[in-house]
Amino acid sequence: MSMSKIGPPGGRRRMPETRRPLVTALAVSLLPLLAACGGTDTKSAAGSGGSSSSAATTTVDGATQLTVPDGVDDATKKQYIEENAVAVCMKKQGFTYTPHVQTSAAADPLAGVDGEDYARAKKFRQKYGFGYYAGAVYPNDANVPFSKAAMAKRSAPLDHDEDGLTDAQKKAYDAALTGPPAKTKAEEKVGGCTEVGRVAAHGPALSAAAEKNAEKARDEANHANGLALNGDPELVQLAQQFATCLTGQGIQVSTTQPTGMVDMVRLDISKQLPENFMSLSKDAALPLLNKDIGIALKDLDCGKKFRAAYFTKEKAKPYYGEDG
């Protein structure tokens, strides 16, 4: 298995274990496009590329190590442990590996539009709407989902660890990082130093039976949290008010369940996007963007009270959708 060191929204190897409803719901309909949003990472050594910085040290054999910042949550701390362990493992095999950890702002590539942070979402939506047509109007703006600049940022290397390596050395690098290539599709799995890092952060892999039980427990907890959020009297009342406001603004309401309403308008629009929305000319995209901005701002204002309550309660009862 070969792994290109580029920066997708969820990191180099996997999506974050704690999934927000926004990311999961959007992934259902737009997963290939979501990757175009790019991610921001805290880089060691080079000291660039992130919205926050982390001190870096080196081990006795020269492996770069990121210092875990004070006050980070457990999931973020594990990212640091994992990346540092990969760097040490790769150095032992004669390769340089620059550890990267996402900043909290980069964990959700559409955090500026989901409405949890009203002021941030309003600033985004006033210019970009929901972001669908903005890429065609602002192709050189890397902050716009689906823009050419964002796609270029998405495919750019996070570092230069493989610069100067021959093709044979690059194959050896990939094998050290993710394990030797699988002989068949069925045998494909991530190994090498990537697995060493995962074990360092999360412990040994569970047996197939234990993993199945753990997944069942997660699904049951997720389902219970969804029921709790949808049955919460305050959220139900606020969702009804949200729906009434949208209807009054001429926006169709497809659900009044709290877990659905948080992203309903945006996701309903995503299902009706023209196939060529990413490649429209600026002149063709501009009127569509202006319409999208109007709907996005109406959705934001109608749902202000609802989202303030929903996101607070969803933190206590995380829910990522039944098909997450």
Side-chain angles (χ1 to χ4, degrees):
M1 178 182 290
S2 176
M3 177 168 292
S4 176
K5 293 180 69 179
I6 57 178
R12 273 177 283 186
R13 286 179 290 282
R14 64 179 187 282
M15 287 287 289
E17 292 189 1
T18 302
R19 291 167 288 183
R20 295 305 304 265
L22 165 63
V23 173
T24 304
L26 211 59
V28 172
S29 59
L30 292 175
L31 184 57
L33 303 177
L34 188 59
C37 299
T40 305
D41 294 87
T42 299
K43 297 184 69 174
S44 65
S48 63
S51 58
S52 64
S53 60
S54 178
T57 59
T58 56
T59 63
V60 291
D61 58 359
T64 301
Q65 297 285 273
L66 295 175
T67 302
V68 182
D70 294 333
V72 298
D73 58 32
D74 185 61
T76 302
K77 184 176 181 180
K78 286 180 179 178
Q79 289 184 51
Y80 278 91
I81 294 172
E82 180 171 352
E83 286 289 298
N84 285 340
V86 173
V88 171
C89 176
M90 290 293 284
K91 180 58 69 172
K92 288 180 179 178
Q93 299 194 49
F95 296 108
T96 296
Y97 178 94
T98 304
H100 298 259
V101 173
Q102 284 191 321
T103 62
S104 58
D108 181 354
L110 295 179
V113 71
D114 70 359
E116 179 176 4
D117 184 330
Y118 177 84
R120 184 179 178 186
K122 187 170 185 177
K123 183 178 180 180
F124 183 99
R125 295 188 187 198
Q126 283 176 329
K127 185 175 182 179
Y128 306 130
F130 287 125
Y132 297 125
Y133 300 104
V137 177
Y138 304 105
N140 298 319
D141 189 339
N143 294 318
V144 181
F146 321 131
S147 70
K148 290 182 180 178
M151 294 176 72
K153 182 178 179 181
R154 159 68 176 86
S155 60
L158 287 174
D159 49 57
H160 300 280
D161 292 346
E162 297 174 67
D163 287 0
L165 298 183
T166 65
D167 288 343
Q169 288 171 330
K170 287 180 179 179
K171 288 182 179 179
Y173 186 101
D174 287 341
L177 181 60
T178 61
K183 295 180 179 179
T184 66
K185 191 76 174 179
E187 294 177 347
E188 281 191 352
K189 64 178 181 179
V190 176
C193 290
T194 297
E195 176 63 9
V196 170
R198 190 203 65 76
V199 171
H202 304 282
L206 299 174
S207 66
E211 179 57 41
K212 185 176 182 179
N213 289 335
E215 182 177 359
K216 180 181 179 182
R218 288 192 296 267
D219 288 344
E220 289 176 348
N222 178 65
H223 180 68
N225 287 346
L227 290 176
L229 292 169
N230 286 328
D232 183 281
E234 180 187 15
L235 292 182
V236 169
Q237 182 180 17
L238 290 173
Q240 290 291 344
Q241 294 172 2
F242 184 8
T244 299
C245 179
L246 289 174
T247 302
Q249 294 286 346
I251 299 174
Q252 186 175 354
V253 173
S254 59
T255 181
T256 56
Q257 284 194 325
T259 57
M261 286 208 69
V262 67
D263 297 310
M264 176 196 65
V265 175
R266 180 156 44 116
L267 293 180
D268 284 352
I269 288 177
S270 76
K271 297 172 185 176
Q272 302 172 32
L273 291 171
E275 291 185 7
N276 66 334
F277 81 98
M278 292 177 64
S279 58
L280 292 170
S281 68
K282 182 176 180 179
D283 289 341
L286 186 57
L288 296 173
L289 172 60
N290 289 333
K291 180 180 178 181
D292 196 47
I293 289 172
I295 295 174
L297 289 174
K298 290 175 181 177
D299 169 67
L300 183 66
D301 286 334
C302 282
K304 184 176 182 180
K305 291 182 179 179
F306 166 78
R307 289 192 177 95
Y310 179 86
F311 281 114
T312 298
K313 296 188 178 188
E314 193 270 338
K315 282 183 173 64
K317 297 182 181 297
Y319 180 74
Y320 49 81
E322 295 301 312
D323 55 358

